[in-house]
Amino acid sequence: KQEVTQIPAALSVPEGENLVLNCSFTDSAIYNLQWFRQDPGKGLTSLLLIQSSQREQTSGRLNASLDKSSGRSTLYIAASQPGDSATYLCAVNRDDKIIFGKGTRLHILP
Amino acid sequence: EAQVTQNPRYLITVTGKKLTVTCSQNMNHEYMSWYRQDPGLGLRQIYYSMNVEVTDKGDVPEGYKVSRKEKRNFPLILESPSPNQTSLYFCASSSGRLAGHNEQFFGPGTRLTVL
């Protein structure tokens, strides 16, 4: 059974620093992996989608990588800002099932 | 504007009183799904639909029903709600028949409290 783990569960970082969020999954037979952002009490906003054949995707200050063979993905955030404070979730997609990690709660200190 | 809408956004009800949470998308997506989000448990899939009249169970389907009579709508039905169904519910959709093909779009969420 696919399990998705995100470590750490919470992270506090001073503004301006670069940071990396981690996502690991147990079954490498995935179709793609998606990173989301969730603000308190709000819905999920898609950040990046990496197909299984891809190694990374970039959007602005965000860069997501995927190493399917080792079951790992990272989300790199450059030059962090207070507005980046949120919970970040990764989700592994395989055909008809989508499995989410429990998220990393990120707090950027002004 | 492309979006997924849910109604109601907030609902407080009592045990056993049937309720329906509506979900609608205007992107002509084939795939739609329902999730519940609980502290410490994360997001878990309840039901999903790959197209009209095609639905299947996710990881936590007990106590829920769904229907997909039209492509744009995917209501979640709680026939006899119980307090353990108190949760934050999300509807999502994506293009393509299978969930894993394309980017998922989420609704704003419905916070349900069952007393």
Side-chain angles (χ1 to χ4, degrees):
Chain A
K1 182 182 176 182
Q2 178 75 273
E3 292 183 6
V4 180
T5 304
Q6 291 186 248
I7 295 173
L11 180 65
S12 292
V13 175
E15 180 180 1
E17 287 200 2
N18 304 325
L19 60 99
V20 174
L21 306 179
N22 297 295
C23 173
S24 62
F25 47 94
T26 54
D27 186 347
S28 63
I30 65 170
Y31 205 89
N32 58 42
L33 184 145
Q34 195 167 357
W35 281 93
F36 294 88
R37 169 189 172 131
Q38 184 177 27
D39 293 288
K42 300 290 178 71
L44 280 70
T45 300
S46 177
L47 298 173
L48 289 163
L49 173 70
I50 312 177
Q51 300 292 351
S52 62
S53 58
Q54 298 174 318
R55 298 283 292 180
E56 65 179 277
Q57 281 285 340
T58 298
S59 176
R61 294 183 294 109
L62 305 179
N63 176 277
S65 69
L66 175 64
D67 184 343
K68 212 173 69 160
S69 61
S70 67
R72 293 183 181 182
S73 176
T74 62
L75 179 66
Y76 175 83
I77 303 177
S80 58
Q81 303 170 358
D84 294 331
S85 297
T87 296
Y88 291 80
L89 297 155
C90 70
V92 169
N93 302 341
R94 180 180 175 176
D95 293 336
D96 55 352
K97 288 289 182 67
I98 300 167
I99 308 296
F100 279 84
K102 293 180 182 178
T104 294
R105 193 169 61 254
L106 176 65
H107 181 48
I108 305 299
L109 305 167
Chain B
E1 178 189 356
Q3 60 182 350
V4 179
T5 57
Q6 295 178 227
N7 282 293
R9 294 288 315 281
Y10 303 91
L11 179 60
I12 300 174
T13 190
V14 295
T15 298
K17 186 177 181 181
K18 181 180 178 180
L19 66 93
T20 299
V21 183
T22 65
C23 173
S24 182
Q25 50 92 7
N26 62 2
M27 296 169 278
N28 201 37
H29 284 169
E30 289 83 4
Y31 185 92
M32 297 185 74
S33 62
W34 276 102
Y35 299 87
R36 61 179 290 176
Q37 186 176 36
D38 303 288
L41 297 176
L43 272 153
R44 294 176 294 169
Q45 194 172 38
I46 303 170
Y47 267 96
Y48 62 93
S49 169
M50 291 188 283
N51 216 324
V52 175
E53 302 292 1
V54 179
T55 63
D56 211 341
K57 297 177 181 179
D59 292 323
V60 288
E62 294 78 20
Y64 305 95
K65 286 175 56 177
V66 293
S67 69
R68 188 89 182 273
K69 293 184 171 57
E70 306 166 279
K71 198 172 188 180
R72 64 183 293 130
N73 297 322
F74 190 45
L76 179 69
I77 303 155
L78 284 72
E79 295 270 3
S80 183
S82 62
N84 65 10
Q85 292 179 297
T86 293
S87 187
L88 181 58
Y89 291 87
F90 290 102
C91 179
S93 73
S94 65
S95 61
R97 188 177 60 85
L98 296 177
H101 282 192
N102 293 302
E103 182 181 2
Q104 281 202 95
F105 295 85
F106 277 74
T110 294
R111 186 167 293 282
L112 172 65
T113 301
V114 183
L115 302 174

